[in-house]
Amino acid sequence: MPHAEHGAVSAQVLDRLFDTVLARRGTDPTLSHSARLLARGRRKIAQKFGEEAVECLIEAVAGNAHELISESADVLYHLIVMWVDAGVKPDEVWAELRRREGTSGIAEKASRPHSELS
Ligand SMILES: N=c1c2ncn([C@@H]3O[C@H](COP(=O)(O)OP(=O)(O)OP(=O)(O)O)[C@@H](O)[C@H]3O)c2ncn1[C@@H]1O[C@H](COP(=O)(O)O)[C@@H](O)[C@H]1O
Protein backbone atom coordinates (compact mmCIF):
# COMPACT_ATOMS: atom_id res chain seq x y z
CA MET A 1 0.00 0.00 0.00
CA PRO A 2 1.53 3.37 -0.95
CA HIS A 3 2.64 5.32 2.07
CA ALA A 4 -0.08 7.92 2.68
CA GLU A 5 0.87 11.35 3.88
CA HIS A 6 0.37 11.64 7.62
CA GLY A 7 -3.30 12.21 8.31
CA ALA A 8 -4.47 10.80 4.95
CA VAL A 9 -4.81 7.27 6.37
CA SER A 10 -8.46 6.59 7.22
CA ALA A 11 -9.81 4.75 10.23
CA GLN A 12 -10.24 1.78 7.90
CA VAL A 13 -6.72 0.90 9.02
CA LEU A 14 -8.40 -0.29 12.22
CA ASP A 15 -10.74 -2.58 10.28
CA ARG A 16 -7.77 -4.00 8.37
CA LEU A 17 -5.85 -4.50 11.60
CA PHE A 18 -8.81 -6.35 13.12
CA ASP A 19 -8.99 -8.66 10.09
CA THR A 20 -5.25 -9.30 10.34
CA VAL A 21 -5.31 -10.09 14.06
CA LEU A 22 -8.39 -12.30 13.60
CA ALA A 23 -6.58 -14.20 10.85
CA ARG A 24 -3.54 -14.73 13.10
CA ARG A 25 -5.61 -16.44 15.85
CA GLY A 26 -4.52 -20.08 16.16
CA THR A 27 -1.45 -19.66 13.94
CA ASP A 28 2.17 -20.26 14.93
CA PRO A 29 2.94 -18.06 17.97
CA THR A 30 6.61 -18.04 17.07
CA LEU A 31 5.73 -16.26 13.83
CA SER A 32 2.94 -13.94 15.02
CA HIS A 33 2.83 -11.68 18.06
CA SER A 34 -0.96 -11.62 17.82
CA ALA A 35 -1.16 -15.41 17.80
CA ARG A 36 1.21 -15.55 20.80
CA LEU A 37 -0.78 -12.98 22.77
CA LEU A 38 -4.14 -14.59 21.94
CA ALA A 39 -2.74 -17.98 22.97
CA ARG A 40 -1.66 -16.49 26.33
CA GLY A 41 -5.33 -15.93 27.11
CA ARG A 42 -7.79 -13.28 28.26
CA ARG A 43 -6.07 -12.21 31.45
CA LYS A 44 -2.71 -11.63 29.74
CA ILE A 45 -4.42 -9.81 26.88
CA ALA A 46 -6.17 -7.55 29.41
CA GLN A 47 -2.93 -7.05 31.35
CA LYS A 48 -1.05 -5.99 28.21
CA PHE A 49 -3.86 -3.60 27.23
CA GLY A 50 -3.70 -2.05 30.69
CA GLU A 51 0.08 -1.71 30.48
CA GLU A 52 -0.14 0.03 27.11
CA ALA A 53 -2.90 2.33 28.38
CA VAL A 54 -0.71 3.37 31.31
CA GLU A 55 2.26 3.96 28.98
CA CYS A 56 -0.10 6.12 26.88
CA LEU A 57 -1.23 8.28 29.80
CA ILE A 58 2.33 8.72 31.02
CA GLU A 59 3.32 10.23 27.67
CA ALA A 60 0.15 12.37 27.58
CA VAL A 61 0.79 13.76 31.08
CA ALA A 62 4.42 14.44 30.15
CA GLY A 63 3.30 16.33 27.05
CA ASN A 64 5.24 14.01 24.77
CA ALA A 65 3.03 14.18 21.66
CA HIS A 66 5.36 12.10 19.48
CA GLU A 67 5.59 9.27 22.03
CA LEU A 68 1.84 9.56 22.63
CA ILE A 69 1.24 8.78 18.95
CA SER A 70 3.24 5.57 19.21
CA GLU A 71 1.70 4.52 22.51
CA SER A 72 -1.78 5.29 21.12
CA ALA A 73 -1.10 2.86 18.29
CA ASP A 74 -0.04 0.24 20.86
CA VAL A 75 -3.26 0.81 22.83
CA LEU A 76 -5.42 0.47 19.70
CA TYR A 77 -3.62 -2.71 18.67
CA HIS A 78 -4.04 -4.27 22.10
CA LEU A 79 -7.68 -3.13 22.21
CA ILE A 80 -8.25 -4.94 18.92
CA VAL A 81 -6.59 -8.09 20.27
CA MET A 82 -9.02 -7.86 23.21
CA TRP A 83 -11.95 -7.52 20.74
CA VAL A 84 -10.81 -10.61 18.84
CA ASP A 85 -10.52 -12.58 22.09
CA ALA A 86 -13.97 -11.40 23.22
CA GLY A 87 -15.72 -11.87 19.86
CA VAL A 88 -16.44 -8.14 19.46
CA LYS A 89 -16.58 -6.87 15.87
CA PRO A 90 -15.35 -3.37 14.90
CA ASP A 91 -18.68 -2.55 13.24
CA GLU A 92 -20.38 -2.99 16.63
CA VAL A 93 -18.12 -0.36 18.16
CA TRP A 94 -18.45 1.97 15.16
CA ALA A 95 -22.26 1.65 15.42
CA GLU A 96 -22.13 2.61 19.11
CA LEU A 97 -19.98 5.65 18.35
CA ARG A 98 -22.38 6.58 15.51
CA ARG A 99 -25.31 6.24 17.90
CA ARG A 100 -23.63 8.74 20.23
CA GLU A 101 -23.02 11.35 17.55
CA GLY A 102 -24.96 14.57 18.04
CA THR A 103 -25.61 13.94 21.74
CA SER A 104 -23.53 15.90 24.22
CA GLY A 105 -21.80 13.84 26.89
CA ILE A 106 -23.24 16.27 29.41
CA ALA A 107 -26.78 15.67 28.16
CA GLU A 108 -26.18 11.91 27.94
CA LYS A 109 -25.06 11.69 31.57
CA ALA A 110 -27.93 13.91 32.75
CA SER A 111 -30.41 11.59 31.01
CA ARG A 112 -29.31 8.52 32.93
CA PRO A 113 -31.50 7.06 35.72
CA HIS A 114 -30.35 8.46 39.08
CA SER A 115 -28.95 5.05 40.07
CA GLU A 116 -26.45 5.21 37.20
CA LEU A 117 -25.08 8.66 38.01
CA SER A 118 -22.59 7.51 40.68
N1 LIG B 1 0.13 -3.01 15.47
C1 LIG B 1 0.80 -4.00 15.89
C2 LIG B 1 1.54 -3.95 17.14
N2 LIG B 1 1.72 -2.97 18.07
C3 LIG B 1 2.52 -3.48 19.04
N3 LIG B 1 2.85 -4.75 18.73
C4 LIG B 1 3.75 -5.64 19.46
O1 LIG B 1 3.37 -5.73 20.81
C5 LIG B 1 4.55 -6.06 21.56
C6 LIG B 1 4.60 -5.12 22.77
O2 LIG B 1 5.81 -5.40 23.45
P1 LIG B 1 5.71 -6.05 24.88
O3 LIG B 1 7.11 -6.38 25.33
O4 LIG B 1 4.88 -5.19 25.76
O5 LIG B 1 4.89 -7.38 24.56
P2 LIG B 1 5.17 -8.83 25.06
O6 LIG B 1 6.42 -9.36 24.45
O7 LIG B 1 3.89 -9.58 24.80
O8 LIG B 1 5.33 -8.63 26.64
P3 LIG B 1 5.93 -9.65 27.70
O9 LIG B 1 5.91 -11.02 27.15
O10 LIG B 1 7.32 -9.11 27.90
O11 LIG B 1 5.04 -9.47 28.91
C7 LIG B 1 5.77 -5.85 20.65
O12 LIG B 1 6.25 -7.11 20.20
C8 LIG B 1 5.15 -5.06 19.50
O13 LIG B 1 5.82 -5.28 18.27
C9 LIG B 1 2.25 -5.08 17.57
N4 LIG B 1 2.26 -6.25 16.84
C10 LIG B 1 1.56 -6.29 15.67
N5 LIG B 1 0.83 -5.21 15.18
C11 LIG B 1 0.07 -5.33 13.94
O14 LIG B 1 -0.41 -6.65 13.79
C12 LIG B 1 0.02 -7.19 12.54
C13 LIG B 1 0.27 -8.68 12.68
O15 LIG B 1 1.39 -8.87 13.51
P4 LIG B 1 1.77 -10.39 13.91
O16 LIG B 1 0.63 -10.93 14.70
O17 LIG B 1 3.04 -10.29 14.73
O18 LIG B 1 1.94 -11.14 12.60
C14 LIG B 1 1.28 -6.38 12.21
O19 LIG B 1 1.53 -6.40 10.82
C15 LIG B 1 0.88 -4.99 12.69
O20 LIG B 1 0.03 -4.37 11.74
Side-chain angles (χ1 to χ4, degrees), residues 13 16-18 20-21 23-25 27-38 40 44 47-48 51-52 55 70 73-78 80-81:
V13 66
R16 289 196 304 276
L17 180 54
F18 176 88
T20 300
V21 174
R24 295 287 196 275
R25 185 168 55 180
T27 65
D28 185 345
T30 64
L31 301 177
S32 160
H33 179 79
S34 309
R36 174 172 174 259
L37 184 48
L38 286 161
R40 297 175 83 181
K44 176 57 75 172
Q47 174 199 332
K48 299 309 292 181
E51 288 174 5
E52 299 296 347
E55 290 172 25
S70 176
D74 283 345
V75 166
L76 290 172
Y77 166 74
H78 285 84
I80 284 172
V81 174

Short mmCIF file of all heavy atoms in Angstrom, two decimals, residues 13 16-18 20-21 23-25 27-38 40 44 47-48 51-52 55 70 73-78 80-81, ligand 1:
data_model
loop_
_atom_site.label_atom_id
_atom_site.label_comp_id
_atom_site.label_asym_id
_atom_site.label_seq_id
_atom_site.Cartn_x
_atom_site.Cartn_y
_atom_site.Cartn_z
N VAL A 13 -7.92 1.64 8.61
CA VAL A 13 -6.72 0.90 9.02
C VAL A 13 -7.05 0.02 10.24
O VAL A 13 -6.49 -1.07 10.41
CB VAL A 13 -5.55 1.87 9.33
CG1 VAL A 13 -5.87 2.75 10.54
CG2 VAL A 13 -4.25 1.12 9.54
N ARG A 16 -8.76 -3.09 8.96
CA ARG A 16 -7.77 -4.00 8.37
C ARG A 16 -6.96 -4.68 9.46
O ARG A 16 -6.70 -5.89 9.40
CB ARG A 16 -6.85 -3.25 7.42
CG ARG A 16 -7.50 -2.80 6.12
CD ARG A 16 -6.46 -2.43 5.07
NE ARG A 16 -5.53 -1.41 5.56
CZ ARG A 16 -5.79 -0.08 5.53
NH1 ARG A 16 -6.95 0.34 5.05
NH2 ARG A 16 -4.90 0.78 5.97
N LEU A 17 -6.63 -3.91 10.50
CA LEU A 17 -5.85 -4.50 11.60
C LEU A 17 -6.66 -5.58 12.30
O LEU A 17 -6.15 -6.66 12.61
CB LEU A 17 -5.42 -3.41 12.58
CG LEU A 17 -4.59 -3.87 13.78
CD1 LEU A 17 -3.38 -4.68 13.36
CD2 LEU A 17 -4.18 -2.67 14.62
N PHE A 18 -7.96 -5.34 12.49
CA PHE A 18 -8.81 -6.35 13.12
C PHE A 18 -8.80 -7.63 12.29
O PHE A 18 -8.62 -8.74 12.82
CB PHE A 18 -10.25 -5.83 13.26
CG PHE A 18 -11.20 -6.85 13.82
CD1 PHE A 18 -11.37 -7.01 15.19
CD2 PHE A 18 -11.91 -7.70 12.97
CE1 PHE A 18 -12.23 -7.98 15.70
CE2 PHE A 18 -12.77 -8.67 13.48
CZ PHE A 18 -12.93 -8.80 14.85
N THR A 20 -6.57 -8.66 10.25
CA THR A 20 -5.25 -9.30 10.34
C THR A 20 -5.10 -10.08 11.64
O THR A 20 -4.70 -11.25 11.64
CB THR A 20 -4.14 -8.23 10.24
OG1 THR A 20 -4.24 -7.56 8.99
CG2 THR A 20 -2.77 -8.86 10.39
N VAL A 21 -5.46 -9.43 12.76
CA VAL A 21 -5.31 -10.09 14.06
C VAL A 21 -6.22 -11.32 14.12
O VAL A 21 -5.82 -12.40 14.58
CB VAL A 21 -5.60 -9.10 15.21
CG1 VAL A 21 -5.60 -9.82 16.56
CG2 VAL A 21 -4.57 -7.97 15.21
N ALA A 23 -7.16 -13.15 11.70
CA ALA A 23 -6.58 -14.20 10.85
C ALA A 23 -5.38 -14.88 11.52
O ALA A 23 -5.05 -16.02 11.22
CB ALA A 23 -6.16 -13.60 9.52
N ARG A 24 -4.71 -14.14 12.43
CA ARG A 24 -3.54 -14.73 13.10
C ARG A 24 -3.93 -15.70 14.23
O ARG A 24 -3.11 -16.52 14.65
CB ARG A 24 -2.69 -13.60 13.70
CG ARG A 24 -2.08 -12.68 12.69
CD ARG A 24 -0.93 -13.31 11.93
NE ARG A 24 -0.13 -12.33 11.24
CZ ARG A 24 -0.39 -11.83 10.03
NH1 ARG A 24 -1.49 -12.24 9.40
NH2 ARG A 24 0.39 -10.94 9.46
N ARG A 25 -5.20 -15.60 14.71
CA ARG A 25 -5.61 -16.44 15.85
C ARG A 25 -5.40 -17.92 15.51
O ARG A 25 -5.81 -18.38 14.46
CB ARG A 25 -7.06 -16.18 16.21
CG ARG A 25 -7.53 -16.93 17.46
CD ARG A 25 -8.86 -16.44 17.96
NE ARG A 25 -9.88 -16.49 16.92
CZ ARG A 25 -11.14 -16.09 17.13
NH1 ARG A 25 -11.51 -15.56 18.28
NH2 ARG A 25 -12.03 -16.17 16.17
N THR A 27 -2.63 -19.38 14.78
CA THR A 27 -1.45 -19.66 13.94
C THR A 27 -0.21 -19.78 14.83
O THR A 27 -0.29 -19.66 16.05
CB THR A 27 -1.27 -18.55 12.88
OG1 THR A 27 -0.97 -17.30 13.53
CG2 THR A 27 -2.52 -18.38 12.03
N ASP A 28 0.93 -19.99 14.20
CA ASP A 28 2.17 -20.26 14.93
C ASP A 28 2.60 -19.05 15.77
O ASP A 28 2.95 -18.00 15.22
CB ASP A 28 3.27 -20.60 13.91
CG ASP A 28 4.57 -21.01 14.57
OD1 ASP A 28 4.73 -20.77 15.80
OD2 ASP A 28 5.43 -21.58 13.87
N PRO A 29 2.59 -19.20 17.10
CA PRO A 29 2.94 -18.06 17.97
C PRO A 29 4.40 -17.64 17.89
O PRO A 29 4.76 -16.56 18.35
CB PRO A 29 2.59 -18.56 19.37
CG PRO A 29 2.56 -20.03 19.27
CD PRO A 29 2.20 -20.38 17.87
N THR A 30 5.21 -18.47 17.24
CA THR A 30 6.61 -18.04 17.07
C THR A 30 6.74 -17.13 15.84
O THR A 30 7.76 -16.48 15.65
CB THR A 30 7.54 -19.26 16.88
OG1 THR A 30 7.20 -19.94 15.66
CG2 THR A 30 7.43 -20.21 18.05
N LEU A 31 5.69 -17.08 15.05
CA LEU A 31 5.73 -16.26 13.83
C LEU A 31 4.82 -15.04 13.91
O LEU A 31 4.89 -14.14 13.07
CB LEU A 31 5.32 -17.12 12.62
CG LEU A 31 6.16 -18.37 12.35
CD1 LEU A 31 5.59 -19.15 11.17
CD2 LEU A 31 7.62 -17.96 12.07
N SER A 32 3.92 -15.02 14.90
CA SER A 32 2.94 -13.94 15.02
C SER A 32 2.80 -13.49 16.46
O SER A 32 2.44 -14.30 17.33
CB SER A 32 1.58 -14.41 14.51
OG SER A 32 0.54 -13.57 15.01
N HIS A 33 3.02 -12.19 16.69
CA HIS A 33 2.83 -11.68 18.06
C HIS A 33 1.37 -11.81 18.47
O HIS A 33 1.06 -12.16 19.62
CB HIS A 33 3.28 -10.22 18.17
CG HIS A 33 3.07 -9.68 19.54
ND1 HIS A 33 3.92 -9.95 20.59
CD2 HIS A 33 2.06 -8.96 20.07
CE1 HIS A 33 3.45 -9.38 21.69
NE2 HIS A 33 2.33 -8.78 21.40
N SER A 34 0.48 -11.55 17.51
CA SER A 34 -0.96 -11.62 17.82
C SER A 34 -1.35 -13.03 18.22
O SER A 34 -2.07 -13.23 19.20
CB SER A 34 -1.78 -11.17 16.60
OG SER A 34 -1.31 -9.93 16.12
N ALA A 35 -0.84 -14.01 17.47
CA ALA A 35 -1.16 -15.41 17.80
C ALA A 35 -0.63 -15.75 19.19
O ALA A 35 -1.32 -16.40 19.98
CB ALA A 35 -0.54 -16.34 16.75
N ARG A 36 0.60 -15.28 19.48
CA ARG A 36 1.21 -15.55 20.80
C ARG A 36 0.38 -14.93 21.91
O ARG A 36 0.07 -15.58 22.91
CB ARG A 36 2.63 -14.99 20.83
CG ARG A 36 3.31 -15.08 22.19
CD ARG A 36 4.78 -14.69 22.13
NE ARG A 36 5.40 -14.64 23.45
CZ ARG A 36 5.62 -13.51 24.14
NH1 ARG A 36 5.25 -12.35 23.62
NH2 ARG A 36 6.17 -13.56 25.34
N LEU A 37 -0.02 -13.67 21.71
CA LEU A 37 -0.78 -12.98 22.77
C LEU A 37 -2.15 -13.62 22.93
O LEU A 37 -2.59 -13.88 24.06
CB LEU A 37 -0.90 -11.50 22.44
CG LEU A 37 -1.57 -10.61 23.49
CD1 LEU A 37 -1.01 -10.84 24.88
CD2 LEU A 37 -1.45 -9.14 23.09
N LEU A 38 -2.83 -13.94 21.84
CA LEU A 38 -4.14 -14.59 21.94
C LEU A 38 -4.03 -15.95 22.62
O LEU A 38 -4.88 -16.33 23.43
CB LEU A 38 -4.77 -14.73 20.55
CG LEU A 38 -5.31 -13.42 19.96
CD1 LEU A 38 -5.48 -13.56 18.44
CD2 LEU A 38 -6.63 -13.03 20.62
N ARG A 40 -1.96 -16.70 24.90
CA ARG A 40 -1.66 -16.49 26.33
C ARG A 40 -2.93 -16.29 27.14
O ARG A 40 -2.91 -16.34 28.36
CB ARG A 40 -0.68 -15.34 26.51
CG ARG A 40 0.66 -15.60 25.87
CD ARG A 40 1.59 -14.40 25.93
NE ARG A 40 2.29 -14.32 27.21
CZ ARG A 40 3.16 -13.35 27.52
NH1 ARG A 40 3.35 -12.35 26.65
NH2 ARG A 40 3.78 -13.34 28.67
N LYS A 44 -3.96 -12.23 30.24
CA LYS A 44 -2.71 -11.63 29.74
C LYS A 44 -3.02 -10.56 28.73
O LYS A 44 -2.40 -9.50 28.73
CB LYS A 44 -1.83 -12.72 29.14
CG LYS A 44 -0.55 -12.21 28.49
CD LYS A 44 0.35 -11.41 29.44
CE LYS A 44 1.07 -12.28 30.41
NZ LYS A 44 2.08 -11.51 31.21
N GLN A 47 -4.09 -7.63 30.66
CA GLN A 47 -2.93 -7.05 31.35
C GLN A 47 -2.11 -6.21 30.39
O GLN A 47 -1.71 -5.08 30.69
CB GLN A 47 -2.05 -8.17 31.93
CG GLN A 47 -0.74 -7.66 32.54
CD GLN A 47 0.30 -8.77 32.69
OE1 GLN A 47 -0.06 -9.95 32.84
NE2 GLN A 47 1.57 -8.41 32.61
N LYS A 48 -1.87 -6.72 29.18
CA LYS A 48 -1.05 -5.99 28.21
C LYS A 48 -1.76 -4.71 27.76
O LYS A 48 -1.14 -3.67 27.59
CB LYS A 48 -0.71 -6.87 27.00
CG LYS A 48 0.07 -8.11 27.33
CD LYS A 48 1.31 -7.84 28.15
CE LYS A 48 2.36 -7.07 27.39
NZ LYS A 48 3.56 -6.83 28.20
N GLU A 51 -1.29 -2.24 30.49
CA GLU A 51 0.08 -1.71 30.48
C GLU A 51 0.25 -0.64 29.41
O GLU A 51 0.82 0.42 29.64
CB GLU A 51 1.09 -2.85 30.25
CG GLU A 51 1.28 -3.79 31.42
CD GLU A 51 2.18 -4.98 31.07
OE1 GLU A 51 2.72 -5.02 29.93
OE2 GLU A 51 2.33 -5.87 31.92
N GLU A 52 -0.28 -0.93 28.23
CA GLU A 52 -0.14 0.03 27.11
C GLU A 52 -0.93 1.30 27.41
O GLU A 52 -0.50 2.40 27.08
CB GLU A 52 -0.59 -0.61 25.79
CG GLU A 52 0.21 -1.82 25.38
CD GLU A 52 1.69 -1.53 25.09
OE1 GLU A 52 2.05 -0.34 24.98
OE2 GLU A 52 2.48 -2.49 25.00
N GLU A 55 1.14 3.33 29.71
CA GLU A 55 2.26 3.96 28.98
C GLU A 55 1.75 5.16 28.17
O GLU A 55 2.43 6.18 28.04
CB GLU A 55 2.93 2.93 28.07
CG GLU A 55 3.71 1.85 28.83
CD GLU A 55 4.20 0.72 27.94
OE1 GLU A 55 4.38 0.95 26.73
OE2 GLU A 55 4.39 -0.40 28.46
N SER A 70 2.81 6.97 19.24
CA SER A 70 3.24 5.57 19.21
C SER A 70 2.50 4.73 20.25
O SER A 70 2.01 3.63 19.97
CB SER A 70 4.76 5.49 19.45
OG SER A 70 5.17 4.15 19.52
N ALA A 73 -1.02 3.97 19.24
CA ALA A 73 -1.10 2.86 18.29
C ALA A 73 -1.02 1.53 19.04
O ALA A 73 -1.75 0.58 18.75
CB ALA A 73 0.00 2.96 17.26
N ASP A 74 -0.14 1.47 20.05
CA ASP A 74 -0.04 0.24 20.86
C ASP A 74 -1.36 -0.05 21.56
O ASP A 74 -1.81 -1.20 21.62
CB ASP A 74 1.06 0.39 21.92
CG ASP A 74 2.47 0.24 21.34
OD1 ASP A 74 2.60 -0.24 20.21
OD2 ASP A 74 3.42 0.63 22.04
N VAL A 75 -1.99 1.00 22.11
CA VAL A 75 -3.26 0.81 22.83
C VAL A 75 -4.32 0.29 21.86
O VAL A 75 -5.05 -0.67 22.16
CB VAL A 75 -3.71 2.13 23.48
CG1 VAL A 75 -5.17 2.05 23.93
CG2 VAL A 75 -2.83 2.46 24.67
N LEU A 76 -4.41 0.89 20.67
CA LEU A 76 -5.42 0.47 19.70
C LEU A 76 -5.17 -0.96 19.25
O LEU A 76 -6.11 -1.76 19.12
CB LEU A 76 -5.44 1.42 18.51
CG LEU A 76 -5.99 2.82 18.80
CD1 LEU A 76 -5.79 3.74 17.60
CD2 LEU A 76 -7.46 2.75 19.18
N TYR A 77 -3.92 -1.32 19.04
CA TYR A 77 -3.62 -2.71 18.67
C TYR A 77 -4.05 -3.67 19.77
O TYR A 77 -4.76 -4.65 19.50
CB TYR A 77 -2.12 -2.88 18.39
CG TYR A 77 -1.69 -4.32 18.33
CD1 TYR A 77 -2.01 -5.11 17.23
CD2 TYR A 77 -0.98 -4.90 19.39
CE1 TYR A 77 -1.64 -6.45 17.18
CE2 TYR A 77 -0.61 -6.23 19.34
CZ TYR A 77 -0.93 -7.00 18.25
OH TYR A 77 -0.56 -8.33 18.20
N HIS A 78 -3.70 -3.36 21.00
CA HIS A 78 -4.04 -4.27 22.10
C HIS A 78 -5.54 -4.27 22.38
O HIS A 78 -6.09 -5.30 22.81
CB HIS A 78 -3.23 -3.93 23.35
CG HIS A 78 -1.79 -4.37 23.24
ND1 HIS A 78 -0.81 -3.62 22.62
CD2 HIS A 78 -1.18 -5.51 23.65
CE1 HIS A 78 0.33 -4.28 22.66
NE2 HIS A 78 0.14 -5.44 23.28
N ILE A 80 -7.74 -4.07 19.98
CA ILE A 80 -8.25 -4.94 18.92
C ILE A 80 -7.98 -6.40 19.24
O ILE A 80 -8.84 -7.27 19.02
CB ILE A 80 -7.65 -4.52 17.56
CG1 ILE A 80 -8.37 -3.25 17.06
CG2 ILE A 80 -7.74 -5.63 16.53
CD1 ILE A 80 -7.77 -2.62 15.84
N VAL A 81 -6.83 -6.71 19.84
CA VAL A 81 -6.59 -8.09 20.27
C VAL A 81 -7.65 -8.50 21.30
O VAL A 81 -8.18 -9.61 21.26
CB VAL A 81 -5.18 -8.25 20.84
CG1 VAL A 81 -4.96 -9.65 21.42
CG2 VAL A 81 -4.12 -7.97 19.76
N1 LIG B 1 0.13 -3.01 15.47
C1 LIG B 1 0.80 -4.00 15.89
C2 LIG B 1 1.54 -3.95 17.14
N2 LIG B 1 1.72 -2.97 18.07
C3 LIG B 1 2.52 -3.48 19.04
N3 LIG B 1 2.85 -4.75 18.73
C4 LIG B 1 3.75 -5.64 19.46
O1 LIG B 1 3.37 -5.73 20.81
C5 LIG B 1 4.55 -6.06 21.56
C6 LIG B 1 4.60 -5.12 22.77
O2 LIG B 1 5.81 -5.40 23.45
P1 LIG B 1 5.71 -6.05 24.88
O3 LIG B 1 7.11 -6.38 25.33
O4 LIG B 1 4.88 -5.19 25.76
O5 LIG B 1 4.89 -7.38 24.56
P2 LIG B 1 5.17 -8.83 25.06
O6 LIG B 1 6.42 -9.36 24.45
O7 LIG B 1 3.89 -9.58 24.80
O8 LIG B 1 5.33 -8.63 26.64
P3 LIG B 1 5.93 -9.65 27.70
O9 LIG B 1 5.91 -11.02 27.15
O10 LIG B 1 7.32 -9.11 27.90
O11 LIG B 1 5.04 -9.47 28.91
C7 LIG B 1 5.77 -5.85 20.65
O12 LIG B 1 6.25 -7.11 20.20
C8 LIG B 1 5.15 -5.06 19.50
O13 LIG B 1 5.82 -5.28 18.27
C9 LIG B 1 2.25 -5.08 17.57
N4 LIG B 1 2.26 -6.25 16.84
C10 LIG B 1 1.56 -6.29 15.67
N5 LIG B 1 0.83 -5.21 15.18
C11 LIG B 1 0.07 -5.33 13.94
O14 LIG B 1 -0.41 -6.65 13.79
C12 LIG B 1 0.02 -7.19 12.54
C13 LIG B 1 0.27 -8.68 12.68
O15 LIG B 1 1.39 -8.87 13.51
P4 LIG B 1 1.77 -10.39 13.91
O16 LIG B 1 0.63 -10.93 14.70
O17 LIG B 1 3.04 -10.29 14.73
O18 LIG B 1 1.94 -11.14 12.60
C14 LIG B 1 1.28 -6.38 12.21
O19 LIG B 1 1.53 -6.40 10.82
C15 LIG B 1 0.88 -4.99 12.69
O20 LIG B 1 0.03 -4.37 11.74
#
